[in-house]
Amino acid sequence: MKNLVLALDLPDASAALAMAERLRGIVPWMKVGLEVFTAAGPTLVRELKAMGFKVFLDLKFHDIPNTVKGAARSAARLGVDLATLHHAGGERMARAALEGVVEGGGGTMLFAITVLTSQTPAEAGLREEEVPLAVARKAMEAQQWGLAGVVCSGQEAAAVKATVKPGFLCLCPGIRLCDEAAGDDQRRVMTPAKALAAGADFLVVGRPILAAPDPVVAAREVLAAMG
Ligand code: C5P
């Protein structure tokens, strides 16, 4: 099945579960992020797992190693399949998170956030041509630390894949059905087909599906564009 992840950026559990129910059997992964996790908590994760979804818990951990270790332990205990932490937290934080996953029973892949897809190169303190190399360098470090992959825009996926050893994964948000940013907060965007051709292993899509007149039609459109 294609690795399409729907970002459940919705205000509460009932909205999230209603959307997940509509897309059950179509989209294999659900992303529980800051908004809905703050509203609905771990119960929502358990319910999505019980519905048969793979769950990506996108809380972007960034704290002292001991705290992140505990968060990663809790995520693993909860049955989360994939969770994120910030590369900027550094090696000790990342390794502590990996230990936490083992203590929690394993099974949770940890991915490092590199440069947020909402940031322009200038906002990230980089020149445009420097972004892919900066992201690839963070990816190489994340791989050395033992993480399973990185979150980056499709625009950097090729540089990441050219730098890391095989098997290290790229998860790309900022996916739009046309090449232009849609006037929202995302800045480094790419179409599904281009992101996959560049090496993306997972695509994360939120508003293009959530805000569509028919989310099922929109999800099928993204899946078709994934080839
Ligand atoms: O609505 P949209 O398709 O822009 O949603 C993208 C999702 O991916 C959001 O839930 C956002 O939190 C997440 N994300 C991102 N950029 C990152 C990491 C995660 O857009 N670097």
Side-chain angles (χ1 to χ4, degrees):
M1 206 189 286
K2 291 170 192 162
N3 284 328
L4 175 60
V5 185
L6 174 64
L8 285 174
D9 293 328
L10 293 165
D12 54 39
S14 60
L17 289 169
M19 183 61 72
E21 187 55 48
R22 289 181 78 178
L23 291 164
R24 195 178 349 191
I26 300 170
V27 177
W29 283 80
M30 291 288 142
K31 184 178 91 91
V32 174
L34 292 169
E35 179 182 1
V36 81
F37 189 80
T38 302
T43 304
L44 173 63
V45 174
R46 290 192 196 96
E47 283 172 334
L48 291 169
K49 291 291 297 183
M51 289 167 77
F53 290 106
K54 294 269 192 189
V55 174
F56 166 20
L57 184 65
D58 188 24
L59 300 183
K60 301 185 174 66
F61 301 145
H62 190 182
D63 207 320
I64 61 170
N66 187 57
T67 300
V68 169
K69 182 179 181 176
R73 187 193 302 124
S74 296
R77 278 191 189 140
L78 195 51
V80 164
D81 299 284
L82 197 162
T84 44
L85 45 80
H86 272 282
H87 170 276
E91 178 169 3
R92 285 191 297 122
M93 188 194 83
R95 290 193 186 275
L98 288 164
E99 285 172 21
V101 167
V102 172
E103 288 177 12
T108 306
M109 293 187 284
L110 292 179
F111 278 47
I113 303 289
T114 56
V115 176
L116 291 174
T117 48
S118 56
Q119 290 192 302
T120 62
E123 285 169 337
L126 297 163
R127 288 197 298 272
E128 188 155 5
E129 64 277 16
E130 292 173 330
V131 179
L133 276 179
V135 169
R137 200 195 71 244
K138 290 173 197 282
M140 201 172 63
E141 288 175 350
Q143 187 171 39
Q144 285 163 359
W145 300 342
L147 302 182
V150 282
V151 182
C152 63
S153 91
Q155 297 178 13
E156 295 100 42
V160 168
K161 289 290 173 154
T163 307
V164 298
K165 296 194 198 95
F168 189 74
L169 302 171
C170 258
L171 180 149
C172 297
I175 300 299
R176 295 293 179 262
L177 285 164
C178 63
D179 278 317
E180 302 300 317
D184 58 28
D185 57 343
Q186 297 285 17
R187 292 294 176 273
R188 303 195 327 285
V189 301
M190 211 177 223
T191 63
K194 284 187 182 166
L196 290 177
D201 300 287
F202 293 86
L203 301 186
V204 179
V205 180
R207 287 161 290 183
I209 293 175
L210 299 179
D214 185 338
V216 173
V217 170
R220 289 197 191 284
E221 203 181 335
V222 175
L223 287 163
M226 289 173 79

